[in-house]
Amino acid sequence: MRKPVIALIILAVATIINAAPVTMIGMMPGSPGPMSGAYDEHNGLTYISITNNNVVLAVNGSRVIATISVSPGPSTPLIAPSGLIYVPNTEWGTVTIINGTHVVKLVQAGDDPQQPVLDPINGYIYVANHYGNTITIIRGTQLIGAITVGSNPLPPAIGSNGYAYIPNYYGDSVTIINGVNIIATVPVGRNPVTPLYNSINRLIYVPNNGGDTISIINGTEAIANITVGSNPLTPTMDPLTGLVYVASSSGLYIINGTRVIAKIG
């Protein structure tokens, strides 16, 4: 049975070493169901998941060069620096790994796997299993293991320390993983969603989507809780100034360090 999906608008674009992820949501004429995709700068192809058809299209410009069959419920893929494509299969609890236009491995994950995230420090791929309350860890094409975290995890942010910061949506907490080990669980606000790692000040900004705050974590400790508008979304940042931009239902909030310095709207 298809489970309900929590729809989140992610405003941040994750920068991955030697990769250029591009997320698209829309409909393709003649292909029923939502689709999402990512661009592979290694081969110039865009890989588009067609959820209802259980396929991934490899597209070059306006031409489909391959239709790749995958397990049910393909969602937004990750393009790794190795050129491997990791496609979460939300209906089967698996991750399909593609090389070019061929499936090379099917890895068992957990219940409702989310978009994979790469830790460029250790090369691990972290897959949050939203209804399974676990994180699946993959390296290359090998399953490393799974870690139990809080309730309903979502895709993590990765710090320059190599820590993965995993928001537990119904657990109101962030689980911090170093490699394959949990090193801390930090209480935050209500319904945290995917955080932002600020590469300038090295702080983690956690939007509490069920409330009106942003929790700020330094290393493994929460150091501030900033009030913004209701239902804040994943922030984005200016990589030159370190200013953080948070969209909420009442406007756009601009944060410098641990304080709001402006509001637009």
Side-chain angles (χ1 to χ4, degrees), residues 208-235:
N208 300 305
N209 185 256
D212 61 357
T213 61
I214 295 286
S215 298
I216 301 177
I217 298 173
N218 184 9
T220 58
E221 296 182 1
I223 62 170
N225 204 47
I226 301 175
T227 299
V228 292
S230 298
N231 312 118
L233 301 171
T234 298

Side-chain angles (χ1 to χ4, degrees), residues 194-219:
T194 299
L196 165 75
Y197 171 67
N198 188 322
S199 58
I200 301 296
N201 59 24
R202 299 186 178 182
L203 299 178
I204 301 291
Y205 293 80
V206 184
N208 300 305
N209 185 256
D212 61 357
T213 61
I214 295 286
S215 298
I216 301 177
I217 298 173
N218 184 9

Side-chain angles (χ1 to χ4, degrees), residues 33 57 138 165 247-248:
L57 304 181
I138 302 169
Y165 294 83
S248 73

